[in-house]
Amino acid sequence: MFRAAVGSLPGRALPAMAAAFLWKKEKGRERRTKAPSWRKEIHPYYNLSVTVVKARNIQGTDVLSEADCYVQLRLPTASPLPDRTKVVYNSRDPEWNETFHYRINSAVKNILELSLYDRDVMLDDKLSSVVFDVGSIKPGHTVRRVFKLNKKDKEALEVEFHIEESKDPPSEIITNGVLVAHPCVCVEGRMKYEENKENGNYTLKLSVPGSYEKQISALLQKSETEEGGKFVFHADKDMNPQLDVCLLKTLRVAENDLAPELDKKTLYFGKGSVPLSSLPEGKEAEINLPLSKNHVVNMSITKEESFQDLDIRLGFELSRGEKDFLKKRKEIIAKSLKNALDLNTAPDEKEVPVIAVIGSGGGVRAMTSLYGSLQGLQELKLLDSATYLSGVSGSTWCMSTLYEDPDWSIKDLKEPINRAQETTTCSKSGAVSTERLKHCTQELIALERDGYKVNFIDLWGLVLEYFLHQKDNPAKLSDQQNSVCRGQNPYPVYAGVNVRVNISGGDFAEWCEFTPHEIGFRKYGAFINTEDFGSEFFMGHLIRRRKEPKICYLQGVWGSAFAANLDEIWARASGTGIRWFNSLTDVIRVIDDCKKMHFRDPTRLQTRLVMPGGMVSDLFQDFFKSRFTAGELYNFTRGLYLYKDYMGVREFVAWKGNHLDAFPNELTPMEENLYLVDGGFSINSPFPVVLQSERDVDVILSFNYSWQAPFEVLQLTSKYCRERGIPFPKITVTEADEKQPKECYVFMDADNARVPIVLHFPLVNDTFHTYKAPGVLRETDEEKAFGDFLIEGKDSPYKTKNFTYELNDFNRLVEVNRYNVLNNEEMIKSALKAALDRRKKKVIHRELKKEKKAKV
């Protein structure tokens, strides 16, 4: 037999497969209920022919000769590997007249990338790329396009397209209007030893292009057991996948003890392929595959397909757990509002407003401040009126600690504040003690052994664990289901963003929400069970289940502010990015070839030209924009595709020609990894996750713990909402407010009930230095000294990088935030009354519409 020597993932052995395939569920595990928002659709296939005709006036990169051009074609929705033309040497006007054939599924957004290269000895130079939506070609038509690459030099690329409906039967897909799931095919096999005419140690390379596992290496040798030589691949059935087997032999050609790897030479002996479509469904097939004249591989292969039972939830509605919570929480909120607002009767369930309390980032300053803000709400008896509690960065550290107690908001907050005081004011030197470092090393080794991609953020999570608890904390996020099972606390929503390692968070960041029940991207309508976070998914199926990580590792992700790249650090320091660097980056220009049309199909993406910045640009991007400490996590949306009309969903800003949303081949479902970091890289407050229309929030209590730019999060949120058509109040503040903000501001649209009411609390010491309680002046010297302090300043103890406070500094920060809430009681209650009135009007309007429909 053959023995598996190397797994599909670097550094990990491929686990042996038993009778069941990986997407089949373990016994006793409850399957997720199918969400009502996804649907099945049937779409035909089309055959696409692309003929690369010629190019003209091409200016190469070699000053001593003409360009040596070839064209690479990349259509990842139809082919896992790019195609390329032959090289035409030493010509400014190369001609190819080469045709490439693809079968495309009409359900997905098919984007063809045509990249023109200049062949080079060391590294081929990309001259330009054309990004073309093949959906603009009508079936049965042949269309020739001349893409203008450079107007000044009259450079152009001429390509001919032809599309016709395929004779293959239409396919059924699952979609939520943004993502598409195709049938997934799984092949499990075992290789058997076959006597060969030649002896020696041979290596087999097995691969299925486009599969999750990519490539597996196996050593050709006899085995005493039947368990050796097993392999498994998961692939997209629509790609017509095939199993490729390549036979290699490594020889030692010299003796060099210092560098033995340099003395080895790999010889190629032969290869063979097995189309997966030729294998029977659900039956074991015996395959004798000749690789060369002297070598034959005998394989036993079973193929199965999985389609209907996805392990990822495709839908935009709230999770079942969150819905169940809301039913229970509304009863508690109704009673709370009746008491807090002195109402005669508790509001009806339909009239209960949705109130979200959100905390910004700011390290320990934000963590400490949120304790004070929540204590103020509790004393006003309004904490029970909150539906959601959400945060980023330091605020999540406070939240995740509170929710370890299932009844924290019912109890007096003084006890958790006292515990936070102890950990915040004590020395952190124990974090680097020999014992602790040994513990961290053991934890990270165990994490890697479990199959996780261990990185610096995981170490940071263990450091935070010590800072927050001074000991090992086994808590997990899914444990917090106990904290919301009776609706007893606000529903926690933790926020982070998915970024790219070479793109600024201000240019591209996708909000990811973490709740006790699910983790996912509402942008894509893709969610997984919280218990399955860290597991490996492909095409919506669970491939490898891993145990849920401790919450400290998530705390590291939520507060990973150090993952900033140099460009973002410069922008924070100077107020703008590295301006001269922008001249070196890629240039994206819309070159829509249908300008003469009187109307434009809104589902079609415009044709864009990408002019690479060149080798110098790549070097600077690697240096200035790379996130050296960004953590890589398994991408649970991998293997899914963008729906043909995905641009119509408001979360996408594909109308911006240079935004990554306009490049579906580059979006998250096409990526291998997620890069989840601190939400502060986008907006330093979790507005985007609470503003989702499904949550229907009426009032947002925004606590901003940044000590610079007190209204920046509101302005960034306003821009975010404006680009996506999300209702948000107009933010208008005076110059005086910018310089010296007050304790509370209210922003609302009196004419539009769809716009939430936002109460914004900057972090200030405004009247607190004079009053020890609302309306109660400070009298003694001790009282005056306690309130007389500056939050900001170069000598402030509240700098974000400071993780240890003096006792007096901790107490002051808690008290000033508590006071700021108490001192604005009337403003808060007025906003809640207005929200209650809006809800009542909505209910009346809804009932009238129902009556009108019934009469019709």
Side-chain angles (χ1 to χ4, degrees):
M1 294 182 190
F2 300 95
R3 280 182 180 161
V6 180
S8 59
L9 297 172
R12 280 189 284 277
L14 183 68
M17 296 298 298
F21 290 110
L22 288 174
W23 60 54
K24 292 183 179 179
K25 310 299 177 290
E26 296 92 338
K27 290 181 180 179
R29 183 176 176 86
E30 183 181 354
R31 181 183 296 283
R32 181 196 306 282
T33 303
K34 292 175 181 171
S37 65
W38 63 258
R39 59 187 182 271
K40 294 179 184 176
E41 293 181 354
I42 296 177
H43 291 264
Y45 292 104
Y46 289 90
N47 293 325
L48 168 67
S49 299
V50 182
T51 302
V52 182
V53 182
K54 61 183 178 181
R56 60 175 183 264
N57 300 317
I58 301 302
Q59 308 293 317
T61 57
D62 195 339
V63 296
L64 300 178
S65 65
E66 303 293 350
D68 305 323
C69 291
Y70 68 89
V71 176
Q72 178 180 279
L73 299 87
R74 179 172 176 259
L75 186 56
T77 52
S79 175
L81 301 173
D83 295 305
R84 55 179 286 183
T85 66
K86 63 180 183 292
V87 180
V88 177
Y89 291 94
N90 200 30
S91 174
R92 294 186 60 183
D93 303 301
E95 291 191 25
W96 295 280
N97 290 308
E98 291 186 51
T99 302
F100 302 88
H101 301 281
Y102 304 94
R103 189 186 71 160
I104 60 176
N105 190 311
S106 58
V108 303
K109 178 57 74 175
N110 295 291
I111 302 295
L112 176 65
E113 298 173 29
L114 298 155
S115 299
L116 182 65
Y117 282 87
D118 185 1
R119 175 80 174 179
D120 202 348
V121 177
M122 297 295 292
L123 184 66
D124 296 350
D125 298 310
K126 183 188 282 190
L127 303 178
S128 58
S129 290
V130 174
V131 182
F132 179 71
D133 188 347
V134 300
S136 61
I137 307 297
K138 293 183 178 180
H141 288 69
T142 299
V143 178
R144 183 167 290 208
R145 300 280 194 235
V146 178
F147 301 110
K148 296 178 181 179
L149 307 179
N150 189 322
K151 290 183 179 180
K152 179 182 177 182
D153 298 319
K154 297 183 179 179
E155 293 183 352
L157 176 65
E158 192 170 327
V159 184
E160 187 174 276
F161 301 92
H162 178 77
I163 290 183
E164 59 182 21
E165 191 163 347
S166 172
K167 294 181 181 179
D168 293 339
S171 68
E172 185 178 72
I173 57 100
I174 290 175
T175 183
N176 61 2
V178 171
L179 293 178
V180 172
H182 284 174
C184 180
V185 61
C186 174
V187 289
E188 181 188 19
R190 187 178 71 252
M191 294 173 286
K192 300 177 181 178
Y193 178 77
E194 183 75 15
E195 292 292 345
N196 297 289
K197 296 179 182 178
E198 295 183 10
N199 294 319
N201 290 325
Y202 295 91
T203 300
L204 284 176
K205 299 282 188 183
L206 294 90
S207 64
V208 176
S211 68
Y212 181 81
E213 290 77 8
K214 295 182 182 177
Q215 181 174 278
I216 299 171
S217 295
L219 190 64
L220 175 58
Q221 62 183 41
K222 284 188 177 181
S223 174
E224 300 300 327
T225 69
E226 291 295 316
E227 292 301 315
K230 286 198 170 185
F231 63 87
V232 63
F233 288 98
H234 298 81
D236 183 354
K237 181 186 176 185
D238 270 13
M239 295 283 186
N240 291 321
Q242 65 178 27
L243 173 64
D244 295 331
V245 184
C246 181
L247 182 64
L248 306 169
K249 184 175 182 180
T250 303
L251 300 177
R252 188 77 175 267
V253 296
E255 292 291 338
N256 188 340
D257 294 333
L258 296 178
E261 68 278 357
L262 300 178
D263 301 333
K264 294 179 180 179
K265 185 176 181 180
T266 301
L267 301 179
Y268 169 79
F269 278 84
K271 66 178 181 179
S273 298
V274 179
L276 300 190
S277 59
S278 66
L279 300 174
E281 172 75 18
K283 296 180 181 179
E284 189 173 66
E286 296 293 331
I287 304 293
N288 292 311
L289 184 64
L291 302 180
S292 71
K293 186 187 298 184
N294 300 319
H295 298 88
V296 176
V297 174
N298 180 269
M299 295 181 289
S300 175
I301 304 178
T302 304
K303 180 184 78 172
E304 283 198 12
E305 294 179 14
S306 180
F307 179 52
Q308 305 292 349
D309 301 319
L310 299 181
D311 297 300
I312 188 172
R313 180 171 72 87
L314 295 182
F316 298 91
E317 72 288 341
L318 303 177
S319 69
R320 170 178 285 187
E322 188 170 341
K323 287 179 180 177
D324 290 343
F325 161 83
L326 290 173
K327 291 178 184 177
K328 298 168 185 174
R329 185 66 177 174
K330 283 182 178 179
E331 297 179 12
I332 296 172
I333 294 174
K335 294 176 182 177
S336 173
L337 288 176
K338 177 181 180 296
N339 296 329
L341 302 181
D342 294 324
L343 304 176
N344 294 326
T345 58
D348 185 74
E349 181 182 320
K350 296 178 181 178
E351 299 173 351
V352 172
V354 177
I355 302 161
V357 177
I358 64 175
S360 77
V364 174
R365 181 181 65 248
M367 181 192 76
T368 306
S369 297
L370 185 56
Y371 278 114
S373 300
L374 294 175
Q375 188 179 32
L377 290 174
Q378 188 180 62
E379 290 185 25
L380 293 179
K381 299 182 179 179
L382 289 174
L383 190 53
D384 283 342
S385 300
T387 314
Y388 293 102
L389 176 58
S390 183
V392 300
S393 194
S395 289
T396 65
W397 304 344
C398 169
M399 291 170 55
S400 55
T401 304
L402 284 173
Y403 279 90
E404 290 177 16
D405 182 349
D407 299 307
W408 70 267
S409 69
I410 303 171
K411 300 176 181 177
D412 193 329
L413 278 174
K414 289 180 181 178
E415 184 178 339
I417 290 174
N418 288 337
R419 287 197 299 268
Q421 180 195 80
E422 290 177 11
T423 56
T424 305
T425 58
C426 72
S427 171
K428 304 299 185 295
S429 60
V432 292
S433 66
T434 303
E435 183 180 349
R436 184 64 188 178
L437 290 176
K438 182 180 178 181
H439 170 77
C440 290
T441 302
Q442 292 172 342
E443 287 278 308
L444 294 177
I445 290 173
L447 194 66
E448 186 174 32
R449 193 182 297 121
D450 289 337
Y452 283 90
K453 300 180 179 182
V454 175
N455 50 66
F456 184 77
I457 285 183
D458 298 310
L459 176 59
W460 172 235
L462 291 171
V463 172
L464 282 176
E465 179 185 57
Y466 183 84
F467 285 179
L468 299 177
H469 299 278
Q470 302 283 304
K471 61 181 180 179
D472 182 53
N473 178 32
K476 300 186 293 293
L477 179 57
S478 63
D479 296 340
Q480 295 182 13
Q481 293 176 16
N482 295 326
S483 300
V484 295
C485 60
R486 307 189 311 276
Q488 69 269 39
N489 301 302
Y491 196 76
V493 184
Y494 304 88
V497 291
N498 180 46
V499 296
R500 296 299 167 84
V501 293
N502 59 349
I503 299 178
S504 167
D507 295 329
F508 181 80
E510 298 174 325
W511 285 85
C512 181
E513 59 183 59
F514 300 74
T515 74
H517 295 100
E518 287 188 340
I519 295 172
F521 297 98
R522 204 160 291 275
K523 171 181 180 177
Y524 295 104
F527 299 88
I528 58 172
N529 287 328
T530 299
E531 297 91 336
D532 291 333
F533 184 69
S535 297
E536 299 176 52
F537 290 78
F538 183 62
M539 299 184 69
H541 298 286
L542 182 59
I543 302 298
R544 288 185 180 89
R545 173 169 284 117
R546 309 199 185 282
K547 67 179 184 181
E548 183 185 356
K550 296 194 302 180
I551 199 169
C552 71
Y553 296 116
L554 297 182
Q555 291 168 336
V557 169
W558 300 329
S560 54
F562 49 80
N565 57 43
L566 293 179
D567 188 42
E568 289 167 334
I569 294 171
W570 184 280
R572 281 290 177 186
S574 64
T576 181
I578 305 172
R579 293 180 180 177
W580 58 267
F581 178 68
N582 294 333
S583 62
L584 299 175
T585 56
D586 296 351
V587 175
I588 301 172
R589 194 171 73 244
V590 174
I591 55 167
D592 207 329
D593 41 87
C594 296
K595 291 180 180 178
K596 295 181 181 179
M597 296 177 63
H598 296 291
F599 64 92
R600 197 177 81 80
D601 182 357
T603 66
R604 186 179 72 85
L605 287 170
Q606 292 178 299
T607 306
R608 276 145 297 137
L609 174 69
V610 181
M611 302 297 292
M615 186 182 298
V616 176
S617 170
D618 292 340
L619 291 173
F620 275 100
Q621 287 208 41
D622 288 343
F623 183 72
F624 285 102
K625 292 206 168 184
S626 289
R627 302 179 190 277
F628 303 107
T629 57
E632 297 182 20
L633 298 112
Y634 294 111
N635 179 9
F636 54 83
T637 68
R638 183 180 168 192
L640 302 172
Y641 299 94
L642 273 298
Y643 188 63
K644 60 186 178 68
D645 300 335
Y646 82 94
M647 306 87 65
V649 176
R650 73 181 189 190
E651 287 287 346
F652 293 87
V653 288
W655 50 270
K656 281 187 176 182
N658 61 346
H659 195 278
L660 199 63
D661 282 352
F663 293 80
N665 291 353
E666 312 299 327
L667 285 177
T668 297
M670 307 297 281
E671 293 289 307
E672 288 191 16
N673 301 310
L674 299 176
Y675 295 92
L676 294 173
V677 295
D678 194 320
F681 284 113
S682 178
I683 301 171
N684 196 31
S685 196
F687 278 100
V689 297
V690 299
L691 283 170
Q692 300 295 337
S693 59
E694 294 77 17
R695 294 202 161 103
D696 198 19
V697 172
D698 298 285
V699 180
I700 300 175
L701 300 180
S702 164
F703 294 101
N704 180 55
Y705 305 126
S706 299
W707 66 5
Q708 294 174 335
F711 304 99
E712 182 184 52
V713 295
L714 294 178
Q715 292 153 354
L716 290 174
T717 302
S718 181
K719 179 177 180 288
Y720 178 92
C721 293
R722 196 164 54 246
E723 291 178 341
R724 293 162 178 79
I726 300 173
F728 194 72
K730 186 177 180 181
I731 305 301
T732 305
V733 292
T734 65
E735 188 176 339
D737 286 327
E738 289 277 6
K739 291 181 179 179
Q740 191 171 353
K742 297 190 285 286
E743 295 163 351
C744 181
Y745 295 82
V746 178
F747 302 95
M748 64 183 294
D749 187 337
D751 300 323
N752 189 350
R754 293 176 59 242
V755 177
I757 301 169
V758 176
L759 286 86
H760 188 64
F761 293 80
L763 180 56
V764 295
N765 182 359
D766 185 20
T767 61
F768 178 72
H769 68 278
T770 306
Y771 294 88
K772 63 181 181 181
V776 182
L777 286 167
R778 297 185 181 277
E779 297 177 349
T780 68
D781 291 341
E782 184 180 355
E783 290 174 348
K784 291 177 181 178
F786 185 79
D788 187 17
F789 71 100
L790 293 175
I791 295 175
E792 297 184 34
K794 65 178 183 177
D795 297 324
S796 171
Y798 304 121
K799 291 180 179 178
T800 306
K801 64 181 181 181
N802 187 15
F803 287 86
T804 304
Y805 292 168
E806 295 294 332
L807 179 61
N808 202 45
D809 295 328
F810 178 89
N811 291 336
R812 278 172 163 174
L813 196 56
V814 171
E815 284 302 309
V816 73
N817 283 281
R818 168 181 164 274
Y819 168 86
N820 287 347
V821 171
L822 296 176
N823 199 42
N824 290 276
E825 177 181 6
E826 291 305 315
M827 198 174 287
I828 297 172
K829 290 184 175 180
S830 295
L832 297 184
K833 288 177 181 177
L836 193 58
D837 291 339
R838 284 182 171 189
R839 276 283 174 177
K840 289 179 179 178
K841 290 177 182 177
K842 283 183 182 179
V843 172
I844 294 171
H845 180 68
R846 215 174 284 134
E847 294 298 326
L848 289 174
K849 281 183 78 174
K850 283 183 181 179
E851 289 180 14
K852 193 174 181 181
K853 279 186 179 180
K855 289 179 181 178
V856 172

